[in-house]
């Protein structure tokens, strides 16, 4: 007999939960109503001229919202707060006007500062208040706030004796606010007048000379160009106004102004005629006057002036109004900018050398700016019209002119000429007598071709995401961080609907937006195809220039980038036939329809060969002027076709297979591929290596490569001394091998591929590798070859090695080999293991932004997970679980097949204990630190997601959490949580980062953390608890981590309270998942005895919930145990004890829990009873009324013979200890009540 059981109290629990949820949901509405009343009182006081009383009313209203018990502010309360701050700012501005006449200047300046601060806070709160269909209202309020802040800034700048720097800063800020206001309210006369006033004051700065530093710099540049003064000799009396001021210094001053504040500085440059001056310098440099020949600028300085002027124009063009006002077709025409690139490219092809790649790159960056502006302007024009609730579009807005009609779109001919010239940079003297070092203008200079790739990416952007990528990539070095933030805030992709947008819009509005988005996509796709077709046409020669660049460069990475760009452009085409028509001639194909139907007869081979020979004879007679019979000419043609085929395999795999099988030289592609491999030309073999790597990734093209493997041709690439050539072949071998079940199951073949991957990762030079026989083992199917030379920093061999490794680590035995420090047999003693090398590469500078970063993240991720876990994760969010799927599959298998599968699983041996051991080895090998380095340097969302996923998997092993924290994982994850207003992708990354924090802190001793780590972890953990899109497991781990941290010290408890943690945890107690409810209850318990927590528990409605949770032990025992423990811990507080005994259900709770028969609950309730009795008075009487004394006496009598009781009821050791403690407490209760 363990105790008596009373009736279930589920009804009480349900009613209490509903009451509490209703109370919590109404709290925010009540706070807004109270704030509205105070706001009206403040408005009335302001109308009566009682400014101070109005300020007090608005302040009280703000405090009412901030003290809202819910702890969260929705869009309604955010907008209310923004309105209150705006009104209070107006009061401060009015007070400043009064104080300027009656009190000291200090009082006025303080009022102006308060006004500016309130306006800034109001804008921040307004950004949080996103209400569907309220754009006009938001703009109305935003306009008021911007006007009040700008007016306060102008008044501050024109008040008594501020220094010139402060005046200029305030006037610049005011101009920025007013320009933003006028961008959506162009007819605001007050704002326009205030802007004119600000500009008037701005023009008076500069020591009385009447010119700002921008004006002085532009005047200096004009004098340098013309050799004359400004016409006013009286102003040339200071040192910095002398005609011999360095022009480069003047340009640096302009760049500095833009770095400080791009909006007003760009406006000032444009208004003062700076575009014409800067463009003239960019085109012709700075010719000094005849009498100043002895002061001629050096060639290096002259070039720097041209580059700086282009950078300044590019930075100015990041501000859209600047382009609309000052960059028209008559002032900054794209053909003029294009001419700069063409002239520099022509000089680079001169046998005597010349041409500045930096100037050309800067000019192309400016063209990208203009392209991006035009594209973004079209996006705005297309998506600006408001969609009404009935699904119609506002006609007035639709017909409204956008302005800037004088701005011409960047013409296609200019882009094509510029890109073509850049791709052919230095090609005219590749075999000449010019300089051969990597200097500006040399054939090995890759800066211009890379800039041309950026230009093409922007010009051929086919969707909103591609446009944003081009926007992010086109910042000039002179751009400031503030201008970047402003520019990036105007994402084209923000027009895409999010889940929140769909919830707030009417169905017809959503449908209309979908139609509009589809129409824009079709139009933009059509335009992109037109651009690509024009560039790739034979008349333009752009595609041939790209292929010539790829075939002629010795930079393997540039070759890959060119190939990827061609592939991206071809992927825009929806129809494969359009690509075939466009590229058939470049591939040497006479009929683009070839291959539409597989040839059934095999007798056409000879005829096909004859046709090829006839075409080759014709080509020998006329091949673009090349010498007849030239082997180099024929090889170049094959290289171009091979590069084009490789690009198609990357961007259009089906067309790429067609090209390799049918189109390349009319079906002779594989044979010419063999010729490239056997040519011994480094560039040709590199292209062949890229091609076989790309072809092996496409299932339909893999069979075409089998002859290369069978004949041993691929081996020529595998043993090549150039690591970049070997790498592509090794990648091909890995993909073909793993695609073949027979080869994939052969452990020896897989280990051979692993050896090759490790060799590709190696950076040791030849001397270090010289060993016993000066030989190195490469592959089981390769020969002994001399040791491999060191790969350059720009080599793609490491990329390929990581690619091969990423394929191989899907095998369990490869994971074990790598984790256990594998290196190829016969390696020198000083050779690093595969894992050490991967960690070293990951920790290298700038590794996070390298192409290999995602591959490294994938490798580390796979090493820390089992195949079984990956299978389970694949079913998350599906309608069927993994176990259910396995059961369905088993129904169709014979017993023999089941046994074979079980043997295979057993052979894999990737059980949980193996994975845990592997994770421990990874941690000891500094893999967490490597992942941190990659995460810190990565700007790729996909790479960050993969790294955080890997960190989370490693953190699932409790024994390595401390090591991960020591190696920086926790700090890095916390740093990721600093951003505001994330998009959907960023939300997913933040969720993963917060989940990693939760996993690491579940069992970690908080004492090993720094104060900043403990306090900094609280916010992300609470956000994860609030995240409705997070998994229940994430919620549970976050709550357990909060429990761990909150129990450490009072400082952490204070942080939880400051972050509104009590209300957040209170909501989590009502989760649908039992374990989450229990974890939230335990987290709340660990907040005892914080004053805020005690105040929370003393409230009647909250206390009812906790009593109900304590009584719900039949349905949720863990939650009941935690809730009752919390009440027992809180009893020493007299006020809480008083509130508890006065609660309506106190007596029922005591009696029910004493008789429940659950030893853990009985122990806790007796602790609670002892605490209440010790308070005496009303608490003592309340306990007596529950009949706790007689119950305890009866309980003691029932178990007088404790030893016999233990034997009779067969208690476990844990239950025996609990029973002994309960009997001891029962005796104490009996003693205290006597």
């Amino acid at each position: 007999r363990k105790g008596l059981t009373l009736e279930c109290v589920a009804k009480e629990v349900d009613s209490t939960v509903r009451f509490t949820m209703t109370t919590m949901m109404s709290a925010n509405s009540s706070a807004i109503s109270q704030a509205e009343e105070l706001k009206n009182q403040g408005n009335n006081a302001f109308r009566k001229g009682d400014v101070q009383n109005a300020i007090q009313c608005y302040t009280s209203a703000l405090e009412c919202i901030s003290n809202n018990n819910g702890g969260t502010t929705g869009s309604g309360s955010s907008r209310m707060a923004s309105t209150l701050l705006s009104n209070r700012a107006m009061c401060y501005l009015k007070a400043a006007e009064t104080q300027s006449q009656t009190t000291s200047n200090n009082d006025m300046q303080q009022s102006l500062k308060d006004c500016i601060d309130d306006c800034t806070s109001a804008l921040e709160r307004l950004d949080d208040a996103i209400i569907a269909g309220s754009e006009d209202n938001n703009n109305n309020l935003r306009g008021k706030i911007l006007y009040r802040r700008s007016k306060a800034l102008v008044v501050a700048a024109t008040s008594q004796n501020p220094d010139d720097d402060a005046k200029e800063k305030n006037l610049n800020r005011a101009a920025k606010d007013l320009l933003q206001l006028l961008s959506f309210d162009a007819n605001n006369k007050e704002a326009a007048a205030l802007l004119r006033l600000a500009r008037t004051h701005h023009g008076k700065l500069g020591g009385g000379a009447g010119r700002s530093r921008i004006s002085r710099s532009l005047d200096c540049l004009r004098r340098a160009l013309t050799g004359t003064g400004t016409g006013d000799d009286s102003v040339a009396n200071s040192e910095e106004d002398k005609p011999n001021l360095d022009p480069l210094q003047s340009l640096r001053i302009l760049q500095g102004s833009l770095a400080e504040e791009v909006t007003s500085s760009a406006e000032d440059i444009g208004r003062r005629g700076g575009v014409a001056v800067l463009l003239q310098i960019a085109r012709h440099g700075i010719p000094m006057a005849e009498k100043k020949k002895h002061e001629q600028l050096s060639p290096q300085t002259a070039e720097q002036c041209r580059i700086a002027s282009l950078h300044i124009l590019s930075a100015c063009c990041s501000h859209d109004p600047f382009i609309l006002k000052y960059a028209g077709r008559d002032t900054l025409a794209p053909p003029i900018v294009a001419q700069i690139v063409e002239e520099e490219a022509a000089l680079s092809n001169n046998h005597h050398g010349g041409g500045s790649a930096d100037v050309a790159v800067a000019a192309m960056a400016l063209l990208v700016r203009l392209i991006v502006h035009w594209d973004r302007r079209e996006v705005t024009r297309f998506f600006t019209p408001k969609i009404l609730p009935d699904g119609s579009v506002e006609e007035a807005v639709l017909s409204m002119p956008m302005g800037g009609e004088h701005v011409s779109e960047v013409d296609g001919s200019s882009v094509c000429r510029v890109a073509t010239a850049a791709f052919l940079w230095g090609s005219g003297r590749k075999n000449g007598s010019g300089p051969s070092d990597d200097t500006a203008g040399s054939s090995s200079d890759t800066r211009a071709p890379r800039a041309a790739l950026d230009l093409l990416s922007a010009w051929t952007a086919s969707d909103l995401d591609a446009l944003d990528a081009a926007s992010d990539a086109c910042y000039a070095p002179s751009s400031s961080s503030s201008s970047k933030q402003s520019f990036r805030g105007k994402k084209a992709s923000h027009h895409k609907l999010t889940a929140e947008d769909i919830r707030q819009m009417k169905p017809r509005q959503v449908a209309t937006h979908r139609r509009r988005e589809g129409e824009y996509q079709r139009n933009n796709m059509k335009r992109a195809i037109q651009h690509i077709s024009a560039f790739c046409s034979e008349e333009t020669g752009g595609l041939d220039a790209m292929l010539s660049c790829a075939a002629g460069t010795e930079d393997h990475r540039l070759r890959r980038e060119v190939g990827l760009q061609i592939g991206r452009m071809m992927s825009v085409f929806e129809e494969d036939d359009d690509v075939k028509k466009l590229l058939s001639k470049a591939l040497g194909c006479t009929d683009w329809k070839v291959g539409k139907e597989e040839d059934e007869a095999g007798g056409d081979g000879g005829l096909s060969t004859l046709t090829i020979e006839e075409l080759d004879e014709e080509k020998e007679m006329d091949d673009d002027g090349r010498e007849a019979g030239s082997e180099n000419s024929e090889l170049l043609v094959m290289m171009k076709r091979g590069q084009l085929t490789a690009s198609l395999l990357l961007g259009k795999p089906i067309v790429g297979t067609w090209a390799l099988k049918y189109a390349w030289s009319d079906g002779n592609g594989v044979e010419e591929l063999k010729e490239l491999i056997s040519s011994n030309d480094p560039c040709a073999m590199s292209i062949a290596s890229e091609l076989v790597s790309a072809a092996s990734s496409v299932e339909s093209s893999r069979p075409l490569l089998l002859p290369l493997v069978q004949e041993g041709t691929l081996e020529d690439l595998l043993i090549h001394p150039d690591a970049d050539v070997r790498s592509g072949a090794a990648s091909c071998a890995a993909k073909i091998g793993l695609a073949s079940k027979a080869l994939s199951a052969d452990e020896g073949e897989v280990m051979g591929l692993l050896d090759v991957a490790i060799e590709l990762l190696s950076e040791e030079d030849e001397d270090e590798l010289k060993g016993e026989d000066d030989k190195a083992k490469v592959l089981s199917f390769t020969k002994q070859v001399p040791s491999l030379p060191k790969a350059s920093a720009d080599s793609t061999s490491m990329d390929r090695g990581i690619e091969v490794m990423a394929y191989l680590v899907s095998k369990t035995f490869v994971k074990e080999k790598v984790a256990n420090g594998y290196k190829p047999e016969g390696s020198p003693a000083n050779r690093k293991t595969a894992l050490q090398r991967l960690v070293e590469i990951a920790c290298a500078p700038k590794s996070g932004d390298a192409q290999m970063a995602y591959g490294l993240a994938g490798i580390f991720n796979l090493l820390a997970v089992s195949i079984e876990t990956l299978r389970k994760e694949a079913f998350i969010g599906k309608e069927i679980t993994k176990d259910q799927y396995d059961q369905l599959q088993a129904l169709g298998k014979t017993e023999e097949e089941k046994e074979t599968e079980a043997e295979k699983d057993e052979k894999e041996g990737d059980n949980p204990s193996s994975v845990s051991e592997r994770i421990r080895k990874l941690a000891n090998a500094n893999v967490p630190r490597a992942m941190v380095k990659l995460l810190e340097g990565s700007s790729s969302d996909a790479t960050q997601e993969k790294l955080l996923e890997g960190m989370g998997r490693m953190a699932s092993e409790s024994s390595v959490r401390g090591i991960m924290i020591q190696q920086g994982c926790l700090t890095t994850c916390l740093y990721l949580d600093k951003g505001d207003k994330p998009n959907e992708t960023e939300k997913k990354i933040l969720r993963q980062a917060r989940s990693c924090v939760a996993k690491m802190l579940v069992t970690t001793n908080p004492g090993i953390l720094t104060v900043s780590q403990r306090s900094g972890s609280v916010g992300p953990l609470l956000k994860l608890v609030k995240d409705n899109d997070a998994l229940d497991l994430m919620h549970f781990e976050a709550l357990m981590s909060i429990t761990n941290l909150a129990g450490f010290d009072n400082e952490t408890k204070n942080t939880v309270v400051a972050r509104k943690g009590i209300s957040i945890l209170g909501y989590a107690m009502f989760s649908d998942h039992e374990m989450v409810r229990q974890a939230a209850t335990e987290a709340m318990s660990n907040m005892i005895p914080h004053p805020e927590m005690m105040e929370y528990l003393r409230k009647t409605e909250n206390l009812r919930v906790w009593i109900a949770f304590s009584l719900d032990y039949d349905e949720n025992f863990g939650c009941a145990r935690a809730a009752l423990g919390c009440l027992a811990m809180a009893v020493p507080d007299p006020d809480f004890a008083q509130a508890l005994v006065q609660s309506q259900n106190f007596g029922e709770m005591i009696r029910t829990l004493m008789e429940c028969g659950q030893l853990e609950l009985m122990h806790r309730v007796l602790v609670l009873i002892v605490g209440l009795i010790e308070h005496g008075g009303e608490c003592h009487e309340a306990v007596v009324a529950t009949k706790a004394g007689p119950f305890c006496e009866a309980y003691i009598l029932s178990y007088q013979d404790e030893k016999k009781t233990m034997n009779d009821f067969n208690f476990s050791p844990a239950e025996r200890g609990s029973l002994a403690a309960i009997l001891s407490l029962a005796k104490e209760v009996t003693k205290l009540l006597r």
Side-chain angles (χ1 to χ4, degrees), residues 23-25 27-28 31 65-73 1026 1060 1062-1064 1067:
T23 302
M24 292 178 174
M25 292 174 64
N28 192 41
I65 292 179
S66 64
N67 291 333
N68 172 23
N69 185 52
T72 57
T73 54
K1026 288 198 303 182
K1060 309 297 182 183
I1062 292 178
S1063 60
I1064 294 171
Y1067 277 112

Side-chain angles (χ1 to χ4, degrees), residues 29-50:
S29 176
S30 175
I32 294 178
S33 300
Q34 189 175 356
E36 183 73 35
E37 182 179 351
L38 288 168
K39 186 193 79 168
N40 293 333
Q41 295 176 11
N43 292 346
N44 293 332
F46 183 80
R47 293 189 191 99
K48 296 176 182 179
D50 191 353

Side-chain angles (χ1 to χ4, degrees), residues 430 550-556 559 632 635 639 643 675-690 716-717 720-726 796:
K430 183 174 182 180
T553 183
E554 296 176 0
D555 188 320
H556 297 282
R559 183 180 296 111
N632 289 337
L635 181 62
M639 290 167 65
Q643 180 62 57
E675 291 186 40
L676 290 178
I677 295 174
S678 60
S679 66
N680 288 326
D681 182 274
C683 292
M685 297 186 76
S686 177
I687 290 175
S689 176
E690 291 289 333
D716 293 339
L717 297 177
H720 194 274
D722 190 329
D724 295 292
V725 174
R726 293 196 311 277
T796 61

Side-chain angles (χ1 to χ4, degrees), residues 1164-1203:
R1164 284 166 171 75
V1165 75
L1166 287 173
V1167 171
L1168 184 146
I1169 290 172
V1170 170
L1172 291 173
I1173 295 172
E1174 290 176 346
H1175 282 296
E1178 185 180 354
C1179 295
H1180 183 282
E1181 295 174 0
V1183 172
V1184 172
T1186 63
K1187 307 297 184 182
F1191 176 86
C1192 289
E1193 291 176 357
Y1195 198 82
I1196 295 170
L1197 289 173
S1198 299
Y1199 298 108
Q1200 277 186 340
D1201 190 346
E1202 186 174 336
K1203 185 175 181 181

Side-chain angles (χ1 to χ4, degrees), residues 674-851:
K674 294 178 182 178
E675 291 186 40
L676 290 178
I677 295 174
S678 60
S679 66
N680 288 326
D681 182 274
C683 292
M685 297 186 76
S686 177
I687 290 175
S689 176
E690 291 289 333
L691 197 157
V692 297
S693 176
S696 62
S697 300
V698 182
E699 183 177 0
S700 58
S701 62
R702 286 191 199 116
L704 302 176
L705 302 179
L706 290 180
L708 277 67
V709 178
Q710 296 167 352
E711 298 169 10
T713 308
L714 189 63
E715 189 174 331
D716 293 339
L717 297 177
L718 288 167
I719 63 175
H720 194 274
D722 190 329
D724 295 292
V725 174
R726 293 196 311 277
S727 64
S731 174
C732 171
K735 295 169 187 174
I736 292 178
L738 293 175
S740 168
K741 291 185 178 180
L743 291 175
S744 179
D746 189 334
E747 186 171 332
E749 292 291 343
V750 174
M751 292 306 299
L753 293 173
L754 180 61
D755 288 350
V756 172
I758 296 173
E759 292 292 345
L760 294 175
L761 295 178
S762 176
E763 280 190 339
E764 288 86 355
D765 60 21
E766 188 171 353
D767 292 335
E768 292 175 331
L769 288 181
K770 284 183 178 179
E772 299 175 358
D773 300 318
D774 295 327
K775 304 290 183 179
K777 178 181 177 182
V778 181
L779 251 185
S780 59
F781 50 80
T782 65
K783 302 175 182 178
Q784 298 290 333
V785 297
S787 299
L788 306 176
K790 182 177 180 178
S792 67
D794 294 330
S795 170
T796 61
S797 62
M798 283 194 293
D799 292 354
R800 292 298 190 190
I802 290 169
E803 181 183 11
V804 174
M805 186 78 77
Y807 275 96
L808 298 177
V809 292
S810 61
K811 300 289 183 182
T812 299
F813 67 88
V814 174
K815 296 180 187 179
E816 293 296 328
K817 290 281 187 182
V818 173
N820 284 285
Y822 177 79
K823 56 184 177 181
E825 184 179 348
S827 298
N830 61 346
R831 169 71 65 82
K832 295 181 176 67
T833 67
L835 188 57
Q836 288 174 334
R837 185 68 188 117
L838 290 170
V839 170
E840 186 177 52
I841 295 171
C843 292
K846 299 182 180 179
S847 59
D849 270 339
Q851 294 181 3

Side-chain angles (χ1 to χ4, degrees), residues 863-876:
L863 287 173
V865 69
S866 66
I867 297 174
E868 185 69 13
T869 301
L870 291 174
R871 291 185 63 200
K872 289 180 179 178
E873 290 177 353
F875 286 91
I876 294 178

Side-chain angles (χ1 to χ4, degrees), residues 171-292:
L171 291 172
N172 285 340
R173 289 182 62 190
K176 180 181 178 181
D177 283 350
L178 292 168
L179 288 170
Q180 183 182 352
L181 192 163
L182 292 170
S183 67
F184 58 80
D185 186 8
N187 297 323
N188 193 319
K189 295 181 180 180
E190 292 181 346
L194 186 59
L195 180 60
R196 288 194 297 271
L197 178 62
R199 286 174 173 171
T200 300
H201 287 293
H202 197 278
K204 296 178 181 179
L205 296 177
R211 291 165 297 150
S212 68
R213 57 178 180 171
I214 290 178
S215 177
R216 294 195 300 270
S217 299
L218 290 174
D219 284 349
C220 173
L221 293 174
R222 289 190 183 94
R223 288 195 299 271
L225 288 171
T226 62
T228 61
T230 62
D232 183 4
D233 295 336
S234 64
V235 300
N237 51 15
S238 65
E239 185 65 25
E240 61 184 348
D241 284 336
K242 290 182 180 180
N244 61 353
L245 181 66
D246 185 0
L248 182 58
Q249 182 181 357
S250 298
L251 292 167
R252 296 294 186 230
I253 291 173
L254 296 179
Q255 286 181 303
S257 298
L258 288 166
E260 291 176 5
E261 215 298 307
V262 67
T263 303
S264 58
S265 297
E267 180 74 21
D268 205 8
I269 290 173
R271 183 164 47 86
R272 297 181 185 279
V275 174
V277 175
L278 294 168
L279 188 58
Q280 184 177 352
I281 296 173
R283 294 181 66 188
H284 308 297
I286 301 182
M288 302 297 287
E290 185 68 25
K291 63 181 179 179
K292 296 290 185 180

Side-chain angles (χ1 to χ4, degrees), residues 1124-1125 1128 1131 1149-1151 1153-1156 1158-1174 1183 1186-1193 1195-1196 1218-1230 1232-1233:
L1124 184 55
V1131 159
M1149 180 189 75
I1150 297 297
R1151 289 189 295 271
L1153 293 173
M1154 285 194 303
E1155 299 170 357
C1156 68
Q1158 298 288 348
L1159 297 181
E1160 292 183 76
L1161 299 182
M1162 292 176 67
H1163 180 272
R1164 284 166 171 75
V1165 75
L1166 287 173
V1167 171
L1168 184 146
I1169 290 172
V1170 170
L1172 291 173
I1173 295 172
E1174 290 176 346
V1183 172
T1186 63
K1187 307 297 184 182
F1191 176 86
C1192 289
E1193 291 176 357
Y1195 198 82
I1196 295 170
S1218 297
L1219 183 58
I1222 291 171
L1223 289 171
S1224 177
L1225 286 169
K1227 293 175 183 178
E1228 186 175 356
V1229 170
T1230 303
L1232 291 172
L1233 290 177

